[in-house]
Structure formats: structure tokens, C-alpha cells
Amino acid sequence: MVDSEDNFTGPSEEDPQRVAETLWVRIRWTFQLLVQLIGVLLLVYLLVIILKAPPRRDLPDSHWWNDGPLYRLRDVRVFSDTQDLRGVERRMDYLKQLKVNGLLIGPIHEAPPNNALSLRFEQISSDLGTMNQFKSLISTAHKKGISVVLDLTPNYQGSTGPWFSNDSITIVAEKLKSALVFWMDQGVKGFLFSGTDLVSNSVPSLWTDIRNIIQNRTRSRPGRRVLMGLSEFSSVDHVSSLLSSSGVDLLLSPLLSSGSGGFAGPAEVLDSVQTLCASHSQLNLAWSLGGAEVHLASAVGPALVRLYQLLLLTLPGTPVFNYGDEVGLMDQGTEPPQMLWDPETETDLNGTLQVEWAERRSSLSFFRSVAALRVKERPLLFGDFLPLSNSSSLLSYVRVSNRGARYLAAFNWGSEEAELVQAGRAELPQQVQVVASTDTSLSDGEVELGALRIGPQQAMLLRFNIK
């Protein structure tokens, strides 16, 4: 009798494979779901961080002259042994080491004193160099990342005013317009004019033409050129008004050279900065002290050179230095002093000169270190200016942006040691890092802020972070 049930023959060869494939599909889908879940959780976490973070401000619409110090050389003959434009070109590596972003040079054009008819804007004075030398200087400067700004003040050697007389302003301004195009074709990145007050008020239509030629971008000149003015007025209200009415990109003035002691101290600095920052973008502010005719060391004294170097390099705006301010060059008589270059050997220097050169090297090293810090740190370039303390001898402020490190700059003009800040300030941490100090006995490193004191006629720059 035959059994009606099928005989059992065991699993087929295909069954294990089918089971394995099913298991693998399940594992793969489970893994994909886990990955997606982790991705969603990460996204939620990032959104929470973004929502809790303070709003990030966009970088300001800055230009090249906002990104580093400017270096002013009015008389090219005093800058090198050759006493001409070739000598200036040979020092471009030196200027690059100072983190200089722009060289303000001249005037160098032909301008017989007090003679408007003999004015030649497009011709270089023969005792200063040649056009080929100037073109070579421009080329070398651009390779080093340095823009050249030309002082085209018309009557720079005369005594009847920088623009001759009122009767000649219109004639001179008309003559100037074609010269601006000529020099921009040679690679000049901007212009400086003395007597901005007089020209912008006396011939406003011509001044507008001058502004448009310099400041407007064209297809052939896509980069922005700087228009700089120079005012002799030391009133902060006048400087503020002229900044608005003239439309210059930067305005040099003797604001910081007009303090109660002959130069700016805590009160004058704070008043100037707060007044101008309240009405103008810091991108339009420029700070200088000695000016073209007086050097920093002569204006404030050798002991305060590094204090004012630190001040100019940490204020909101563009610092402008006269040649030699980085080494404490002093004026002697009425003629501009010859630039001091570090001797290759000290074997011929007596003890007094060796001490002097040690001080100059110290000033130069300090200038380089702070300038290098300024050009790379956003708070020092574009950060807000927050005063901390101000007295008859002490000034301190914080430069801060919404991200990264913050910098506290402190200056003691007094003859006695001063307490930097009161301990326990909520907006300041207990520990700060010393990154620059005019006091060579104070080494870099972390210090207790509440216990920190600043010595007489000393200044320091501190760095800290707020979580």
C-alpha cells in the first residue's frame, strides 16, 4: 500500500540563502534608520546651538586702507642714502615687515613756490627722481602688497597756502582733474590733499568732480581708490563736520596733538573717539600724532613712544605713522631728520650710541609685534570700542567683536603705578593673557587681572575670551 503523504526530503538548498537575504535586508534597513535618526538628532542639536548663539554681524564693507597701518613719507630725500625714489623702493621689504598697507608719499610733482602758472602735476621734481623710478617703485610696492598714495597738494613748498590763493583755487582744481587720471594710470591707489577745508568749501562743484574721479570704480579701475584729506583744525566737532561735508574716505587732523600737555592724554583720546564713533563709521577714522612735520618721539617724548604706538594701533580706525616713528626718530631743527637705519655692526658705536640703538630696536620690535597682531585680529580691526576706565592719568578700553578673543588696552600717563581695573567686574574674567607691554619686565603669559598693576608711563594689551 502506497502512503498518500509526501515523503519529507529536508530543506532545499535555496531556503538558507533566502533566510540570509531576508536577515541582511532587515539589518540594512535598521542601520539606515539609525543613521537617519542620528542625522535628525544632530540637526536638532545644531539648530539649538544656532538659536542660542548671538547674532553674527557681517564683516563691514572695508577697503585696503582699513586693514593695516599707513606710513607717511613726505620728503623722499631723507629716507635713504640715494635720496631719491630708488632708495624708497629698496626699503619695501622693511615696510612689509611693519605690516604697512599703504605708503603715503610726496608731494613729488613740480611746483615752484607760490607760482600757480608753473605748476606741473604730472611731472616729477628732478631732484627726487624720474618717472621710470616711480613706476618701478609702484611695481615693487604692489608685489609686496603695499598700495601707494600720492600727496598732490598743489603748493606744498609755498607760503600762500596749500592751494596758492583763493583766486587760483578754481584754476588749480581744474588742472588737477586730468592729473588724477594720469597718476591712477601709473598705478597710484589714492591721493592725499592738504587744505581740504578750504577747497571743499570754496569750490564745492570742483571738489565733487575730484571726489568722483578718485572714488568711483570703473571697468578699467575696479579697485577702490582712497581720498584722504588733511585738516589743520584740532576741534573734534570741526573734524566730524568736515568728515561729513567733504566726503573724504579718511581725514588726518591734529586731534591727538592738542591735549592739555601738548599731546592727547586720557580725556582727549576718549572724547575724540567717542564723539567721532557716534557719528561716523570707524572705517572713516584715521589717527596720527606727530603729523608730517613733527615726529612721534618729538611730540610726546622718547619715554612715551611705545605707549602711543600701542594707542594708535588699537584705536578704532586706521593708524597713520610718520616715517621713523617706529624707531623713535627725533626732529632736529627745521629740516626733516634723516631716517635712522640699524647699523650692521656695533664695533664703531660708543657706549651711549649702543644704548640708543638698543632702545630703537626695542621700539621697532614692539611696533612690529603689535602691528602684526592688529592686521590678523578682527576685534582690533573692526571691533567695538568699549571704555572701561578713564581718569586724569589712566585710560583702558576693550575692543570686542561678537566672536573670538577680546582685547583690553590700558595706558597710564601718570608718574605713579595705577590699578588697572577693579576686581570683580562682571564683564571681565579673572585670568587674562598679556600679549604686549611697554614694560619689558612684564613677560607674556596669563596673569590675575584683579592683581594687575600698570607702571608709570606704561601701556599693555591683554587678551581674554568670554564663553
Side-chain angles (χ1 to χ4, degrees), residues 169-415:
I169 289 179
T170 300
I171 298 174
V172 173
E174 283 286 3
K175 210 172 190 179
L176 178 66
K177 290 193 290 186
S178 61
L180 296 175
V181 177
F182 170 81
W183 286 112
M184 286 192 291
D185 287 341
Q186 310 308 316
V188 169
K189 297 297 184 182
F191 299 92
L192 170 66
F193 298 104
S194 301
T196 305
D197 324 59
L198 176 65
V199 185
S200 60
N201 293 327
S202 300
V203 286
S205 60
L206 285 175
W207 180 250
T208 300
D209 292 342
I210 290 171
R211 282 180 52 198
N212 289 337
I213 292 172
I214 296 172
Q215 294 177 330
N216 287 353
R217 293 182 175 95
T218 64
R219 183 170 298 178
S220 60
R221 300 188 189 93
R224 179 71 183 270
R225 270 70 177 173
V226 64
L227 171 57
M228 296 184 63
L230 177 63
S231 171
E232 298 300 327
F233 290 89
S234 58
S235 162
V236 67
D237 291 332
H238 182 91
V239 170
S240 179
S241 176
L242 185 58
L243 262 174
S244 299
S245 62
S246 67
V248 295
D249 296 301
L250 295 175
L251 180 65
L252 298 180
S253 72
L255 270 183
L256 299 187
S257 305
S258 58
S260 57
F263 51 88
E268 293 86 5
V269 171
L270 187 58
D271 177 62
S272 297
V273 175
Q274 288 187 312
T275 300
L276 293 179
C277 282
S279 303
H280 307 277
S281 167
Q282 64 172 271
L283 301 181
N284 293 117
L285 304 184
W287 304 103
S288 63
L289 201 114
E293 306 299 335
V294 181
H295 284 79
L296 179 61
S298 298
V300 305
L304 291 175
V305 167
R306 280 176 287 176
L307 183 150
Y308 278 94
Q309 287 178 350
L310 182 62
L311 177 68
L312 295 179
L313 286 166
T314 57
L315 286 177
T318 299
V320 182
F321 293 92
N322 200 7
Y323 78 96
D325 283 347
E326 70 277 15
V327 294
L329 181 65
M330 296 281 289
D331 298 299
Q332 299 175 353
T334 57
E335 293 297 318
Q338 195 73 24
M339 177 62 182
L340 296 173
W341 297 108
D342 198 344
E344 295 181 359
T345 174
E346 292 189 351
T347 56
D348 296 330
L349 299 181
N350 59 36
T352 301
L353 288 177
Q354 288 182 5
V355 172
E356 290 178 359
W357 270 110
E359 180 62 25
R360 290 166 187 162
R361 293 188 186 102
S362 179
S363 294
L364 177 60
S365 176
F366 183 81
F367 185 99
R368 285 175 173 170
S369 64
V370 179
L373 188 66
R374 183 188 184 276
V375 299
K376 70 178 182 179
E377 290 294 326
R378 180 178 173 182
L380 295 176
L381 279 174
F382 308 119
D384 293 335
F385 175 86
L386 305 178
L388 285 181
S389 61
N390 175 239
S391 67
S392 60
S393 61
L394 183 69
L395 171 66
S396 63
Y397 52 82
V398 172
R399 299 297 311 281
V400 53
S401 61
N402 63 326
R403 297 291 175 87
R406 301 181 177 190
Y407 288 87
L408 192 163
F411 308 85
N412 181 11
W413 278 264
S415 57

Side-chain angles (χ1 to χ4, degrees), residues 438-458:
T438 61
D439 186 354
T440 56
S441 65
L442 184 62
S443 60
D444 296 349
E446 284 198 350
V447 294
E448 192 80 21
L449 184 59
L452 194 58
R453 301 293 184 271
I454 182 169
Q457 297 189 327
Q458 301 292 341

Side-chain angles (χ1 to χ4, degrees), residues 3 10 13 71 110 166 206 218 229 272 299 360 397 437 445 462:
D3 191 354
E13 294 181 359
Y71 195 87
E110 285 281 2
N166 284 327
L206 285 175
T218 64
S272 297
R360 290 166 187 162
Y397 52 82
S437 175
L462 311 171

